[in-house]
Amino acid sequence: MKIGICNDHAGVEYKNRLVEYLTAKGYEIVNFGTDTTDSMDYPDVAHPLAEAVEKGEVDLGIAFCGTGNGMQMSLNKHQGIRAGLCWSVEIGKLIKQHNNANVLVMPARFIPFETVVEITDAWLGEEFEGGRHQTRINKIPNCR
Ligand code: RB5
């Protein structure tokens, strides 16, 4: 499985540590994020990741910024993206089971790295439940 990953300056360390962890587990990683701690603008890396997920160039995405919110807001501007902001393992499971989130977003400044690993494993390990949840996600892009 190919995973695209992106981050701003607040998420460099967690991005690097998670890439190492996921690569060791056999995932292929494509890096869309910045590799320095110089201040930068999260939409500049969120949009390329979103486009890669929408085009099927990567199977799933993971994004970090300080709070996770800037990334989540930018990613969810794309019609084919369902980016879920997660700070607990339970939410990590539910964004796959109920929302079929194709991008996992985490707040690098607010959770320990151990939690990042647990959330990522939970999200990757769950299955979308379909049914009523498919009906609901089908309605997400239909803005009225
Ligand atoms: C950067 O200081 C911070 O604003 C950014 O990482 C993120 O939290 C924005 O939503």
Side-chain angles (χ1 to χ4, degrees), residues 8-10 42 65-70 109:
D8 70 356
H9 50 284
Y42 51 78
C65 65
T67 63
N69 272 308
R109 288 181 173 154

Side-chain angles (χ1 to χ4, degrees), residues 23-87:
T23 301
K25 289 190 81 170
Y27 291 97
E28 185 180 347
I29 306 295
V30 182
N31 178 23
F32 291 86
T34 182
D35 291 316
T36 82
T37 52
D38 297 344
S39 183
M40 58 86 67
D41 304 328
Y42 51 78
D44 293 343
V45 291
H47 293 306
L49 172 62
E51 286 162 9
V53 173
E54 284 184 312
K55 288 177 189 166
E57 294 169 358
V58 294
D59 300 300
L60 294 170
I62 297 175
F64 293 105
C65 65
T67 63
N69 272 308
M71 285 293 184
Q72 183 208 32
M73 289 175 190
S74 303
L75 290 159
N76 279 322
K77 291 294 179 189
H78 295 254
Q79 291 295 297
I81 298 299
R82 290 177 304 282
L85 176 57
C86 286
W87 57 93

